[in-house]
Amino acid sequence: MSWTSDELMTVNAARALAGARTCFVGIGLPSAAANLARRTIEPGLVLIYESGTLGSKPSRLPLSIGDGELADTADAVVSVPEIFNYWLQAGRIDVGFLGAAQVDRYANINTTVIDRGPGRPEGRLPGAGGAPEIAASCGKVLMVLRHSRRNMVERLDFVTTVGHGSGPGDRARLGLPGAGPVAVITDLGVLRPDPDTAELVLTELHPGVSVEQVCEATGWKLRVAPDVGVTGPPTSMELAALRELSDRGASDA
Amino acid sequence: MAEILSLREAVAALVRPGDTVAMEGFTHLIPFAAAHEVIRQGITDLTLVRMTPDVIYDQLIGMGAARKLVFSWGGNPGVGSLHRFRDAVENGWPRPLELDEHSHAGMANRYVAGASRLPFAVLRGYRGSDLPGRSPTISTVRCPFTGEELAAVAAVNPNVTVIHAQRADRAGNVQLWGLVGVQKEAALAAERVLVTVEEIVDALDPRPGAVVLPSWSVHAIAVAPNGAHPSYTAGYTVRDNDFYQAWDPISRDRDTFLAWMRAHVLEAA
């Protein structure tokens, strides 16, 4: 059986939701992963979207966080102030699942502006959305993004959302209630923060990917776990579920 | 009491040059028809407020209607960039665009404070982020009871809030349901409220989860069938995802964008 690197990424991102009860879902890659998890490893997973839906059960991948099916299939639909204040800020959500434009070694995120050098205007990204408070208040945070030197950078041009700040103890010092990022899942492997330094370390490679390949695609000198593992290949069931979701999403869009 | 007017009359009566205008609708119920009428009437120098600028503000910005944008996420949902927004911010085309940028939680709470007629709202937010350094409307406040330092965000009180709803009755009571977003707060935060609706009905039978804005909290209502397109109105229309994808190539190029706006907005009254 064959698969794409994006499928590897999404399947592994879905697996990372094992044991989670509730997930605040960003649109795009996180939404694909969370919906796949509901069809595979964690059927009872409660999907929460910032458009105000609690317990959405879409039959296909939504294009936007406001697609009608997210509301039609939800256990409850609430206002946007309520979702952020009563549900997210109050600490009721286990996992926040985020994408990112730029990530640094402490899993901080930039989704605001790109510095394009002296004399050139800043490149504009979409902005914060829900991410700063999702990363602050969820029990823990998972991130999913494609691995490249453009995305995984030595220094962020702007800190939109704090992961582990500048190292251990920063989250507590800043008063961020959740544990912060626990895994960054990419199309090459999985990075996790070192418990002592909070710096992201390569802990798993996807099948067929080399350590050198990952280091080459990372903008900082990436640390590699001494016993770096290999993720299990996608099962036929995982791939079938993901492809069914994607096909339905595509035919709808 | 809400007056039932034509869309042209309602926009002319309520939206003035230089106003701070919020056109809300979190992906659902986005008031596109009203925005197009603002563009046709050439109302400009607006401060546009909206959590997710979406294609609706990409169009207003690209037509030069805005001098400032207050927002929290400026993308084409599920598709990519808003090219007219980026061109205005990065290159000042067709005019420079001042920004006041927040997170969603911050913006939602700014509307809550505005609706409550309080000067600011508090939240646990922005901690460690660079965002407060760029916004004059984000600060901190110490809790007088626990001593905890919290984020403070200034209330937003638009001159006009424009929303789209499923329907109103003949007395001007408005009913909306589905994803209700932040529209109630945005409407109650404003001096003047314009609501476009799919239809006027004799009686508003109750709907689960519906928000009702009583006639006396609304200033003008205009019937605009399919007035949220390419967004949607639950129970009436579905989101036109094809259009959101088609907008990407239309909006990438200035001339293509202007030609599209001429054909589909300016000459399509």
Side-chain angles (χ1 to χ4, degrees):
Chain A
M1 192 178 323
S2 68
W3 50 78
T4 67
S5 57
D6 269 9
E7 286 175 335
L8 266 177
M9 174 169 61
T10 304
V11 163
N12 279 283
R15 290 172 181 171
L17 282 163
R21 196 179 41 127
T22 50
C23 180
F24 204 113
V25 188
I27 203 65
L29 296 172
S31 180
N35 277 287
L36 179 59
R38 252 183 44 78
R39 275 167 181 72
T40 51
I41 198 161
E42 205 50 67
L45 183 67
V46 176
L47 305 184
I48 298 161
Y49 286 85
E50 65 195 11
S51 50
T53 67
L54 301 169
S56 291
K57 302 161 205 65
S59 62
R60 43 133 183 89
L61 288 183
L63 182 68
S64 89
I65 44 104
D67 280 22
E69 201 188 8
L70 296 177
D72 296 342
T73 60
D75 299 324
V77 179
V78 302
S79 73
V80 168
E82 179 176 330
I83 202 91
F84 282 101
N85 289 345
Y86 298 176
W87 298 91
L88 177 62
Q89 182 173 259
R92 294 179 207 277
I93 303 174
D94 293 342
V95 181
F97 214 140
L98 298 173
Q102 271 190 340
V103 173
D104 71 10
R105 70 178 72 209
Y106 292 112
N108 302 301
I109 300 174
N110 173 23
T111 51
T112 303
V113 287
I114 299 288
D115 184 351
R116 294 192 293 199
R120 301 198 58 203
E122 286 178 330
R124 186 62 231 191
L125 300 171
E133 287 76 27
I134 293 171
S137 293
C138 287
K140 62 182 181 180
V141 175
L142 297 170
M143 289 158 54
V144 56
L145 74 159
R146 295 185 185 94
H147 210 129
S148 75
R149 282 181 169 264
R150 212 170 130 236
N151 298 348
M152 312 287 274
V153 299
E154 172 70 35
R155 193 181 156 73
L156 296 182
D157 297 327
F158 187 96
V159 178
T160 312
T161 297
V162 175
H164 292 289
S166 53
D170 251 24
R171 288 189 65 89
R173 187 176 59 74
L174 289 165
L176 300 169
V182 295
V184 177
I185 298 108
T186 78
D187 49 348
L188 299 181
V190 181
L191 287 69
R192 300 179 199 273
D194 180 301
D196 296 324
T197 66
E199 182 176 333
L200 290 174
V201 175
L202 177 66
T203 55
E204 287 135 280
L205 295 163
H206 293 324
V209 177
S210 70
V211 168
E212 293 67 35
Q213 231 180 310
V214 184
C215 292
E216 183 53 38
T218 306
W220 69 86
K221 195 169 160 11
L222 180 64
R223 290 182 50 215
V224 180
D227 51 348
V228 63
V230 178
T231 61
T235 65
S236 54
M237 185 217 166
E238 286 170 326
L239 285 173
L242 176 57
R243 287 169 188 172
E244 193 192 341
L245 266 173
S246 307
D247 288 349
R248 286 199 198 159
S251 68
D252 182 73
Chain B
M1 289 302 197
E3 264 194 283
I4 299 175
L5 302 171
S6 71
L7 181 56
R8 184 175 303 180
E9 292 167 332
V11 166
L14 264 60
V15 187
R16 296 158 199 168
D19 271 354
T20 295
V21 180
M23 300 183 184
E24 273 298 350
F26 206 93
T27 304
H28 177 218
L29 293 174
I30 301 177
F32 271 92
H36 290 170
E37 186 57 32
V38 167
I39 291 169
R40 279 192 291 272
Q41 294 191 15
I43 304 170
T44 186
D45 292 324
L46 301 173
T47 292
L48 294 176
V49 185
R50 190 176 150 73
M51 292 182 63
T52 59
D54 201 276
V55 169
I56 188 175
Y57 279 9
D58 213 36
Q59 295 178 345
L60 283 154
I61 290 165
M63 295 303 283
R67 55 165 286 273
K68 180 175 177 180
L69 176 68
V70 181
F71 76 111
S72 42
W73 191 83
N76 180 346
V79 179
S81 289
L82 291 176
H83 299 291
R84 295 299 97 226
F85 157 68
R86 286 189 60 176
D87 201 13
V89 174
E90 294 176 6
N91 308 310
W93 192 92
R95 58 185 292 183
L97 185 69
E98 192 187 329
L99 298 182
D100 184 15
E101 184 164 1
H102 281 258
S103 67
H104 280 346
M107 277 300 293
N109 279 291
R110 296 190 69 191
Y111 279 124
V112 170
S116 313
R117 293 300 194 268
L118 284 169
F120 67 92
V122 296
L123 68 151
R124 285 200 190 90
Y126 301 106
R127 286 172 172 173
S129 170
D130 288 340
L131 285 166
R134 289 204 179 194
S135 170
T137 53
I138 306 173
S139 186
T140 58
V141 65
R142 197 163 287 284
C143 170
F145 305 106
T146 64
E148 182 181 1
E149 189 178 88
L150 297 160
V153 287
V156 61
N157 288 106
N159 298 114
V160 194
T161 286
V162 181
I163 61 171
H164 186 70
Q166 275 89 352
R167 55 195 190 170
D169 64 18
R170 293 185 200 288
N173 299 297
V174 170
Q175 190 187 40
L176 56 146
W177 64 84
L179 296 171
V180 292
V182 74
Q183 285 96 302
K184 184 180 195 173
E185 290 77 12
L188 296 179
E191 288 166 29
R192 304 184 289 276
V193 180
L194 193 169
V195 185
T196 55
V197 294
E198 291 292 323
E199 60 173 339
I200 305 268
V201 295
D202 290 329
L204 298 175
D205 53 309
R207 287 282 178 151
V211 165
V212 173
L213 291 170
S215 176
W216 49 273
S217 66
V218 174
H219 299 79
I221 293 169
V223 177
N226 203 18
H229 180 268
S231 172
Y232 70 105
T233 303
Y236 290 79
T237 62
V238 294
R239 191 172 192 269
D240 188 350
N241 284 338
D242 286 344
F243 182 89
Y244 276 90
Q245 289 180 324
W247 184 249
D248 189 79
I250 293 167
S251 59
R252 252 175 215 278
D253 176 77
R254 292 172 182 173
D255 292 333
T256 311
F257 162 76
L258 288 172
W260 191 93
M261 292 299 289
R262 257 194 306 277
H264 296 90
V265 176
L266 293 178
E267 291 162 9

